[in-house]
Amino acid sequence: MPERAGGASQAAPACKGVTEATLNQWIRNANAGADVRQVVTARPAGCQVTIGAQGLDQLFGRLTLSTTGGRVILHGGDSIFDVQARAVLSVTGFTLSGATNSAVSTTYSTRTTLSDCTISGNSAFFGGGIANSGGAITINNCLITGNTSQGAGGGIANSGATSTLKVVDSKINANNGLYGAGLYNAAGTITLINTEINENSAQGAAAGFVNSSGTATVISSDISRNIMAIDNAGGFSNAGTLNIINSTVTDNRGTAFFNGGILLVSGSRISGNTGGAPAARSTTAAVAPRRSPTARSPATRPAARAAASPTWTAARSSSSTPRSPATPPANPAAASPTPAAAWSSSAAARSPATPRTSAAR
């Protein structure tokens, strides 16, 4: 797990041999059709590349970046990486911080992989750390912390029927947002494995995460110590389909969760939440917990428990719109999202037809 880097990395020394212009040239080579694979040497270790206010050029091709010799910080920009239609991005070993419109922003038919990364100190209206609007993102062994959203998804926002998000062996920690401070999902598909969502804080609903529609599966993970400003779903809010397997939902401030969709819980522990968990109307047979060991798991692993699996079932939200509401409801599980341009990521603001160039800056 990458160490916490903090959002303000201004004091880090400049990297030798790589600049914003270097990164943009690699992106342009990728956009011209090359399969660009670059290893960035940290000289000195923990060095920083400062990105201008417009961010790096939009990516339309295939780009793979990794580091050696220490961590490299990419700091600043509206979006550090703006991944456009059909582009493929892989980033390993970087810290992405200081972006004002999501550190990583993706759109439809894109594929993005983040490994051994720290995403910290970024902000946006939608998806402070990461905003996925129709693409596929895989996150391995990353720390997503200290990001802020003025709307939904302080840490990560995943929106759109074609959006998929898989988070493995990672921490989504201490992010802030109006609702879904840790993680927000609208109409997409998310899978969390061996992942912690903790100490996130929200002002509207669901400090841990919101599944406003779509499908979410949580396996061997921990949702704990998330903080609501009001007594409303400190752990999570669900209006789609949510499966919680061999996980813990504990010590959240606000009720454990609000469910207005289909909720299935097996082999899990829900306790110590202010307001408590909802009473089960029916139970299923005990399910033997399945452990999912990994070599690089976060510091706190939820304890496995074989317990009766309460099942809550309610009317599932029928919404499949790819955008979250322009005006967030008081409780996102109580209303289906409606399309609104205000909730689109930076991809909507920058037409793919006109990629940015350094000359524009």
Side-chain angles (χ1 to χ4, degrees):
M1 176 79 57
E3 296 179 359
R4 185 187 299 269
S9 53
Q10 300 290 351
C15 293
K16 297 179 180 179
V18 60
T19 64
E20 178 182 12
T22 307
L23 294 167
N24 275 330
Q25 187 58 58
W26 292 339
I27 291 173
R28 290 167 193 157
N29 292 343
N31 292 346
D35 185 359
V36 177
R37 300 172 182 267
Q38 292 289 339
V39 178
V40 178
T41 301
R43 294 183 296 176
C47 66
Q48 173 175 301
V49 178
T50 300
I51 308 300
Q54 289 187 333
L56 297 175
D57 288 354
Q58 292 176 310
L59 176 67
F60 297 89
R62 302 175 65 92
L63 176 65
T64 300
L65 296 177
S66 59
T67 63
T68 184
R71 187 157 294 272
V72 174
I73 302 166
L74 304 183
H75 182 84
D78 61 347
S79 287
I80 297 174
F81 291 108
D82 187 358
V83 188
Q84 289 293 311
R86 294 177 294 281
V88 179
L89 173 68
S90 177
V91 177
T92 302
F94 285 83
T95 290
L96 308 180
S97 69
T100 58
N101 197 13
S102 310
V104 178
S105 176
T106 71
T107 187
Y108 64 93
S109 70
T110 58
R111 286 184 291 151
T112 302
T113 302
L114 305 174
S115 302
D116 303 319
C117 287
T118 295
I119 314 294
S120 67
N122 304 283
S123 63
F125 185 77
F126 178 80
I130 298 169
N132 180 33
S133 300
I137 295 184
T138 300
I139 298 172
N140 296 304
N141 196 48
C142 290
L143 174 62
I144 299 166
T145 185
N147 302 286
T148 301
S149 170
Q150 293 78 40
I156 306 173
N158 187 64
S159 176
T162 62
S163 294
T164 63
L165 172 69
K166 184 176 183 180
V167 184
V168 182
D169 297 340
S170 297
K171 286 186 178 182
I172 303 172
N173 166 265
N175 301 284
N176 183 272
L178 180 61
Y179 65 105
L183 172 62
Y184 172 85
N185 181 53
T189 301
I190 64 175
T191 304
L192 307 177
I193 302 173
N194 288 343
T195 290
E196 296 178 10
I197 300 179
N198 55 46
E199 299 175 0
N200 302 283
S201 58
Q203 294 74 49
F209 77 89
V210 169
N211 183 44
S212 74
S213 57
T215 300
T217 303
V218 179
I219 303 171
S220 300
S221 295
D222 177 68
I223 303 169
S224 66
R225 304 183 306 282
N226 297 288
I227 301 171
M228 279 299 307
I230 58 176
D231 188 19
N232 189 339
F236 57 82
S237 178
N238 174 54
T241 298
L242 174 60
N243 298 286
I244 300 180
I245 304 167
N246 300 338
S247 297
T248 60
V249 183
T250 60
D251 301 323
N252 296 286
R253 184 183 301 175
T255 55
F257 46 78
F258 180 91
N259 179 50
I262 299 173
L263 174 63
L264 305 172
V265 181
S266 62
S268 298
R269 177 166 65 93
I270 301 173
S271 67
N273 303 284
T274 303
R281 293 190 297 177
S282 63
T283 58
T284 63
V287 177
R290 182 184 65 185
R291 299 187 64 184
S292 182
T294 62
R296 297 176 301 180
S297 58
T300 305
R301 278 287 159 260
R305 280 169 170 73
S309 304
T311 302
W312 294 273
T313 304
R316 179 177 178 177
S317 168
S318 61
S319 171
S320 62
T321 55
R323 301 294 184 205
S324 41
T327 303
N331 192 321
S336 299
T338 58
W343 283 91
S344 62
S345 68
S346 61
R350 296 195 292 266
S351 171
T354 309
R356 295 193 306 270
T357 67
S358 57
R361 292 192 287 277

